[in-house]
């Protein structure tokens, strides 16, 4: 019989990549809401990136709660190698505000925002901003009706259980 404490556990997925160096810039949901209210459009004036993988999926029988309107789903686990391409796309489109989030934005959202900020700094780009959404999609979904109405595939039961 093997001792469970002696079993090897796989390192976290992000250990395969360098730790981010940049100081985290975050955005509070009230500021992001203000962008929407002022008529700014996701995909044109700013980019929203939902980094959830399996906790983002929606099937016929199970909803994972929804996502903020206009978000692109790019799972964090496959993000790092795509950063140069994302940067090229965003800079070509002249989008300067990138908002990354996951469930809480304490892990994936934080890490992605900082990795992207590292890359923009490396490129000498001082105009493009990389933010982590404070409290992630969970904070957004629980903040009230004005936030919920800006969610796609919203399922209240997921957030209130």
């Amino acid at each position: 019989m093997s001792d469970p404490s002696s079993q090897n556990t796989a390192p976290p997925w992000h250990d395969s990549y360098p730790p981010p160096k940049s100081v985290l810039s975050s955005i509070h949901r009230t500021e992001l809401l203000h962008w929407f209210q002022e008529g700014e459009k996701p995909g044109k004036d700013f980019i929203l990136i939902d980094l959830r993988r399996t906790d983002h999926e929606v099937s016929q029988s199970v909803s994972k709660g929804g996502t903020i309107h206009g978000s692109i789903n790019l799972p964090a686990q496959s993000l790092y190698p795509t950063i140069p391409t994302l940067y090229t796309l965003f800079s070509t489109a002249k989008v300067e505000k990138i908002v990354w989030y996951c469930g809480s934005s304490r892990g994936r959202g934080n890490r992605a925002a900082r990795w992207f900020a590292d890359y923009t700094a490396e490129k000498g780009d001082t105009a493009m901003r990389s933010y982590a959404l404070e409290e992630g999609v969970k904070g957004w979904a629980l903040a009230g009706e004005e936030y919920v109405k800006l969610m796609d595939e919203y399922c209240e039961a997921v957030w209130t259980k």
Side-chain angles (χ1 to χ4, degrees), residues 38-100:
E38 291 296 310
E40 292 190 46
K41 303 282 184 222
K44 180 179 180 230
D45 302 304
F46 60 95
I47 302 290
L48 285 168
I49 301 177
D50 184 340
L51 296 156
R52 296 174 295 157
R53 183 174 53 180
T54 56
D55 53 336
H56 175 272
E57 297 170 355
V58 177
S59 70
Q60 291 178 353
S61 61
V62 179
S63 171
K64 295 301 180 182
T67 191
I68 301 170
H69 178 71
S71 296
I72 300 167
N73 178 234
L74 296 173
Q77 293 79 359
S78 61
L79 173 71
Y80 190 82
T82 68
I83 288 174
T85 301
L86 292 171
Y87 175 79
T88 299
L89 290 169
F90 302 157
S91 60
T92 301
K94 299 184 182 358
V95 177
E96 295 181 344
K97 298 183 286 192
I98 316 301
V99 179
W100 310 86

Side-chain angles (χ1 to χ4, degrees), residues 2 45-46 48 52-53 64 69 91 101 103 114-115 122 124 127 131 140 151-153:
S2 67
D45 302 304
F46 60 95
L48 285 168
R52 296 174 295 157
R53 183 174 53 180
K64 295 301 180 182
H69 178 71
S91 60
Y101 69 91
R114 293 173 62 214
W115 275 334
E122 194 179 291
Y131 304 102
W140 184 275
M151 290 185 72
D152 297 329
E153 300 177 339

Side-chain angles (χ1 to χ4, degrees), residues 26-42 45-46 48 68-69 97 99 101 131-134 136 139-151:
S26 60
I27 184 171
H28 193 269
R29 66 181 162 267
T30 55
E31 186 172 350
L32 181 56
L33 178 64
H34 181 74
W35 292 354
F36 278 107
Q37 292 170 336
E38 291 296 310
E40 292 190 46
K41 303 282 184 222
D45 302 304
F46 60 95
L48 285 168
I68 301 170
H69 178 71
K97 298 183 286 192
V99 179
Y101 69 91
Y131 304 102
L133 177 61
E134 292 177 20
W140 184 275
L142 296 174
E145 183 59 32
E146 62 189 338
Y147 294 89
V148 168
K149 71 180 183 182
L150 290 169
M151 290 185 72

